[in-house]
Amino acid sequence: MLATGAGAVAPHAAARRYAAAIAWGALGAALLMGLFLGVRRDLGVAVLLPMFWFKFAFVACLAAASLHAVLRLSLPGLRLAWVPGALVAPVLAMWLLAAFVLIRAEPAQRAGLFYGDTWNSCPLLVALLSAPAFAALLWAARGLAPTRLRLAGAAAGQLSGTVGALVYSLHCPEMAAPFVGFWYLLGILIPTAAGALLGPRLLRW
């Protein structure tokens, strides 16, 4: 099946395919956010705060590692190599920061730092905003040649979750490291789990 219609392939064709999927997914997430949530009113002030960029960098690092994972899993015979470490590193870094923040905080403040005001909606909204990217990235993966279908689906789902989380961060008022390290990650893991479940069916070729 790989040899059917074989011919010259343009350089970086898979990367361009995923770049287009991410762009369409981000646009869809932005439209959903604009229709139902809106941008936080104090965004101009928030971008001046270091923790806003820590939150953004956390999700962006997960997005970069997820992109490398899905690129390698979309082509037969490639190993993940250092990718699992790149996926774990930003999570551990955020958890260490969260632990430091919680240790330094007064006991009465710790629950607020962990739960914030939006813990019950954050993961679901991240998952909702990831839906356009989820569909686009599975389409991109299906047009390539993944052989580890469950892993490829999970990687596409995780990448879509990071796209949703990046867009959601423009709306979300929460910036505490304990909140971001748990509830944002949970929101990203929802489409990751969905991708792992659907990958064997949707990515079969």
Side-chain angles (χ1 to χ4, degrees), residues 1 35 51 67 71 105 108 118 129 135 145-146 150-151 168 175 185 187 199 203:
M1 291 180 70
L35 288 172
M51 197 54 213
L67 176 58
L71 278 170
T118 61
L129 294 181
R150 195 172 299 280
L151 276 178
Y168 179 69
M175 290 189 290
L185 183 61
L203 302 183

Side-chain angles (χ1 to χ4, degrees), residues 77 82 109 133 138 165:
W82 51 267
Q109 296 176 326
L138 285 180

Side-chain angles (χ1 to χ4, degrees), residues 8 22 37 39 42 72 85 103 111 134 140 152 161 166-167 170-171 203:
I22 291 170
L37 301 174
V39 176
D42 63 341
R72 299 189 73 81
I103 290 170
F134 185 79
L166 284 172
V167 174
L170 301 177
H171 163 81
L203 302 183

